[in-house]
Amino acid sequence: MGAVQEQQTIRSDRVRSLARFQADLKSLLPPERVLTDPAELGAYSCDGLVSYRARPATVVLVESRDEIVHTIRLANRYGLAFVARGSGTGLSGGALPLEDGILIVTSKMRRILEVDPENLCAVVEPGVINSDLSRAVEPFGLYYAPDPSSQIVCSLGGNVAENSGGAHCLKYGFTTNHVLGVEVVLPNGEVTLLGGYASESEGLDLRAALVGSEGTLGIVSKIILRLSVRPEAVRTLVADFDSVRAAGDTVSAIIAAGVVPAALEMFDTLALVACEAATNAGYDPTAAAALLVEVDGAIEEVEASYAIVVELCRQGGARALRQAHDEHERSLMWRGRKAAFAAAGRLANGYIVQDGVVPRRVLSAVLDEVAELAGRHGLRVANVFHAGDGNLHPLVLFDPATPGDHARAERLATEILELCVEHGGSITGEHGVGVEKACVMLSMFTESDLAVMHRLRGVFDPNDLCNPGKAYPTPRLCGERPGVYRPTELERKGVIERW
Amino acid sequence: MIEVVDSQAIEELKGRVFDARESAPRGVAIVGHGSRRSCGRAVEAGSTISTAGLLGWSHAPEDMTLIVGAGESISSVQERLLPHRQRLSVDPPLRTVSGRPDLGTVGGLVATADQGSLRYRYGGVRELVIGARYVTGDGVVAHSGSQVIKNVAGYEIAKVLVGSLGTLAILTDVAFRLHPLPSETFEIVVDNLSLAAACHLGSRLARQSVSLSALYHWDSSMVGRVEGEGLATRKLAERVARSLEVDLNDLPDGDGSVRVAIRSGDELSQRFALVCGGDDLVLRVACRSFEAHQVEKLVEAWCEPRPSLVSFLGSGIVDLRWDERSLVDGWERTSLGESVRHLRSAFPSQWWRQVPTWARDVVVGDEIVSLDPNAVALMRSFKAALDPEFIFERGRMGAWYELKS
Ligand SMILES: Cc1cc2nc3c(=O)[nH]c(=O)nc-3n(C[C@H](O)[C@H](O)[C@H](O)COP(=O)(O)OP(=O)(O)OC[C@H]3O[C@@H](n4cnc5c(N)ncnc54)[C@H](O)[C@@H]3O)c2cc1C
């Protein structure tokens, strides 16, 4: 058989399998939750990384664990690969469907199954929205600590898959530190519980591998989460500096003094200009840099740490300090911060949001190097980021109308990541690898590192059916570059901000 | 990740792993100080690989991170961090090696996940490990994680190695997140308190916005620890004591009495050694955060001879301890084995977990009661993926994977 003919046979086999799969599934699930109409499928063709698109052949809107099991078992029977999707806000293409593949959407699994305030834990289905859980446990004085800025729309299943973080994770830890147990439908359709209600459990801690696995090891059907106690006191300030270096050094000084702030965010001038123009939050656009520092906890501790932070900002050369006197002023400060990514649109018509991590001690040096790199490319970069944990979010600005500008911006965004790795950091602090950074993995990990990760993947998914091609380099993907920032529908409507 | 153990030591280690694969019997024991050898079941080993030569140190004080060779001792890690007013937030119990108390090595700590009372605030060892380099059973040297505290690239294999009892790989370098070393430590002790009352009070305390660093119940006392800087810490300790006094009055048969004590580091480690150290037989079980009293009920129903309980409130970890010297050989040991077997099957599997940590042969049976077969199958095949010839620490995890392979 010739190569073309062979391709055609494979293709028609696939089409047949898909048709059988769809028919079988419609006999098991209410047919209105098995989408096959191209007009309906289009809405699922990308996640938050809108520059990558593919139209799935079938979208399954599951409502229970058993429906996930049915879908996966059928997919196995016909040898079809599948991808999980929560709310579709991921920024690295983790929930990008396979062209003509199956997309299993868990966003209808929104039940909070149990809240146990005495033992500070809750059991949820994967489609529960992050902030809905906090709202549900608020009457007990509790909340769910990991706070990605997409928290009012992203799902807890997605958070588990991405090991999501937020501005307050410096003190409170990332998703992985709050997941006690995960029930997962494995890629072969079997169900298991990894972890449980306690912080440690029997046998190997495979829950640790599952969190952050970007939907490649199975589909999460239930999550047991740790709840936290709302702090009784919060103090927030913004400090302006005459140089990025002075602000960066103050970040180190605060941490070195033994203070663990709840949040420690940094802006450079460009970011301040954009945020202030967008929100009138009271930021000073003439400052070279600003820090937003928040401390929380018991009143006694907060007062003591706050005094230290104020003193260190002064010693670090802060030219102005603005303290939030009430909740209104505090939320104004945060509003400015949260608007940052969207506000970058005021600086340029096009920009790429990068996500990399460096050790805190090299923060100032790396920001200098980023500026130098940008100068070399003739581009501007605005910086607004989680300074406390070294998680940079450089916004690489460019003009889509200028020929070559976009390509230069993409090169610069990639070089910034390489810089992070050179300084001993990471290619991603919270957005994940997905399709976007699969190739950059090789700059951070050796072939052997990846080979062992591949073995782990093989243990869960020997037939490579579960979100294939994501999170690890494949020849097909490598060579591709980071996508241009394009607001998602929700950002355009002002429902969520990216920061 | 910065590699702190030099490449020659790594090459030698790889050589030892290859030798072990060739020699008969094949099993190899991986030994640091040997302070945690009795954790898990006895190992069948034709040879031993010592991790004592896996030394190295890279501390970034401004980042509060440390990369350290797996052979470094925990005591020396803490000593070297002291001038920087930082610490690795673990307080593993002292175990005895050749008659001397020992905290063990970094590798031993990670492999056994033997966290002490600080797990209340800082979590188990897994929450502190941010990266690792390791050598697999087929001699592959690999890394996972990073030296920065925030990183979501790649599967977190470093965290899976925590508590794996050396059965998956030999750790060579470990990256940790550090914390500030507090200058003040107070303990609030409530004496004459039943475990059930401690769980009740502990849960109420945990739902106030005071950050204790430890909370445990032992021998009819509940101990809460407040750490921090300066006057604020004392004020906080006093507030905790006051609120406990109020809560005690609400208890139906509340006969507890509250006292606040200033503690030095030495005092703490001595006391903690008394509570958790030594060479008792320990079976570690886990339940919901504040339900240790339910474990106590099961123990009372099923265990003869009776163990003493150390309950780490908030994390749901309960250590059942039997003084080995007091166990008469013969029927008492057999009866202990029997009671543990009963205990295992009495555990509601969704709620209760048995941690195969720190239990001698006598208390670790071969049955796997509380885990479903799919989880066990995954664990077994992950073991086979990292150590294809089952050479590392054969038998140590008992029924978990080796016996049935
Ligand atoms: C405006 C904006 C701001 C953001 N801010 C942050 C931030 O501050 N911090 C941060 O960490 N992230 C942030 N993100 C990224 C994103 O919101 C998070 O990654 C989030 O966790 C994704 O959740 P989701 O439900 O949208 O998942 P999706 O995008 O639907 O999926 C993400 C990944 O999870 C997998 N997945 C989804 N559900 C399941 C399941 N049930 N079982 C197994 N795998 C599953 C998918 O296959 C995919 O790989 C932001 C995104 C946007 C658009």
Side-chain angles (χ1 to χ4, degrees), chain B residues 119-177:
Chain B
R119 58 158 48 93
Y120 182 83
R121 178 159 186 175
Y122 301 99
V125 176
R126 87 191 274 275
E127 319 301 345
L128 304 170
V129 169
I130 54 175
R133 179 162 60 144
Y134 54 91
V135 180
T136 65
D138 52 350
V140 175
V141 182
H143 311 76
S144 119
S146 157
Q147 68 222 28
V148 284
I149 57 171
K150 194 170 188 183
N151 162 47
V152 295
Y155 298 131
E156 289 218 65
I157 292 175
K159 286 199 194 319
V160 183
L161 297 180
V162 177
S164 65
L165 299 180
T167 56
L168 298 175
I170 304 179
L171 286 156
T172 62
D173 312 53
V174 184
F176 288 108
R177 175 180 194 167

Side-chain angles (χ1 to χ4, degrees), chain A residues 47-48 68 83-96 104 106 126-127 129 147-151 153-167 184 213-216 218-221 341 386 393 429-432 434 467 470 485 488 491 496-499, chain B residues 150:
Chain A
D47 60 5
I68 303 178
V83 175
R85 176 184 165 115
S87 301
T89 66
L91 290 173
S92 53
L96 176 75
I104 302 177
T106 56
I129 301 300
D147 60 339
S149 51
S150 50
Q151 71 186 139
V153 280
C154 64
S155 72
L156 289 163
N159 291 178
V160 168
E162 297 287 348
N163 188 13
S164 295
V184 58
S213 61
E214 304 192 10
T216 61
I219 300 196
V220 173
S221 49
F341 285 6
H386 311 305
H393 283 315
E430 52 187 26
H431 295 171
N467 215 0
K470 305 283 176 65
Y485 170 82
T488 57
E491 285 170 280
I496 50 171
E497 289 113 357
R498 190 186 302 203
W499 45 292
Chain B
K150 194 170 188 183

Side-chain angles (χ1 to χ4, degrees), chain A residues 119-431:
Chain A
N119 290 300
L120 298 166
C121 65
V123 185
V124 299
E125 289 188 331
V128 171
I129 301 300
N130 175 305
S131 57
D132 285 354
L133 176 59
S134 287
R135 204 165 315 119
V137 300
E138 201 170 356
F140 307 105
L142 304 176
Y143 74 116
Y144 174 63
D147 60 339
S149 51
S150 50
Q151 71 186 139
I152 60 166
V153 280
C154 64
S155 72
L156 289 163
N159 291 178
V160 168
E162 297 287 348
N163 188 13
S164 295
H168 292 83
C169 287
L170 169 62
K171 179 169 177 184
Y172 294 103
F174 311 98
T175 301
T176 188
N177 309 114
H178 297 267
V179 173
L180 296 169
V182 196
E183 182 189 78
V184 58
V185 184
L186 297 169
N188 62 3
E190 294 291 329
V191 179
T192 190
L193 176 67
L194 302 175
Y197 282 87
S199 51
E200 291 167 38
S201 71
E202 215 166 0
L204 300 177
D205 188 358
L206 292 177
R207 155 193 63 153
L210 197 96
V211 179
S213 61
E214 304 192 10
T216 61
L217 303 183
I219 300 196
V220 173
S221 49
K222 200 183 334 181
I223 316 161
I224 308 174
L225 292 165
R226 187 196 301 282
L227 299 173
S228 304
V229 178
R230 284 226 174 262
E232 64 185 3
V234 182
R235 300 290 304 264
T236 311
L237 67 75
V238 173
D240 298 331
F241 292 83
D242 284 326
S243 72
V244 167
R245 184 161 289 270
D249 291 348
T250 303
V251 169
S252 296
I254 291 173
I255 301 290
V259 176
V260 183
L264 182 42
E265 305 284 310
M266 185 164 157
F267 309 65
D268 66 7
T269 307
L270 270 180
L272 287 170
V273 169
C275 293
E276 189 51 23
T279 62
N280 286 322
Y283 288 108
D284 180 355
T286 67
L291 294 180
L292 190 164
V293 192
E294 185 157 284
V295 287
D296 70 9
I299 293 164
E300 296 87 341
E301 286 173 320
V302 168
E303 292 310 319
S305 331
Y306 190 70
I308 297 172
V309 169
V310 168
E311 182 53 30
L312 290 173
C313 286
R314 293 217 168 97
Q315 277 176 20
R319 68 181 202 194
L321 283 181
R322 279 182 308 286
Q323 317 189 1
H325 294 103
D326 53 34
E327 188 49 37
H328 171 70
E329 287 186 15
R330 173 177 173 253
S331 62
L332 209 59
M333 286 173 174
W334 277 110
R335 174 130 62 91
R337 170 63 185 88
K338 289 183 180 184
F341 285 6
R346 292 172 182 261
L347 302 172
N349 288 333
Y351 57 103
I352 296 170
V353 180
Q354 191 49 289
D355 165 43
V357 188
V358 294
R360 262 184 306 239
R361 66 181 181 282
V362 296
L363 212 51
S364 311
V366 169
L367 290 175
D368 286 348
E369 287 177 57
V370 169
E372 198 189 306
L373 277 178
R376 223 181 288 156
H377 286 282
L379 294 167
R380 292 179 306 159
V381 172
N383 287 292
V384 48
F385 57 94
H386 311 305
D389 41 32
N391 188 185
L392 302 178
H393 283 315
L395 305 166
V396 181
L397 311 175
F398 67 94
D399 178 8
T402 306
D405 230 28
H406 179 192
R408 269 202 303 280
E410 289 188 326
R411 255 196 312 281
L412 174 55
T414 306
E415 283 170 21
I416 292 174
L417 277 193
E418 282 158 7
L419 197 65
C420 291
V421 176
E422 264 167 46
H423 281 281
S426 165
I427 58 169
T428 171
E430 52 187 26
H431 295 171

Side-chain angles (χ1 to χ4, degrees), chain B residues 321-338:
Chain B
R321 308 179 60 89
W322 289 267
D323 179 350
E324 193 175 15
R325 284 158 310 181
S326 74
L327 290 179
V328 187
D329 268 342
W331 82 264
E332 219 162 16
R333 277 179 179 277
T334 317
S335 123
L336 179 55
E338 275 303 302

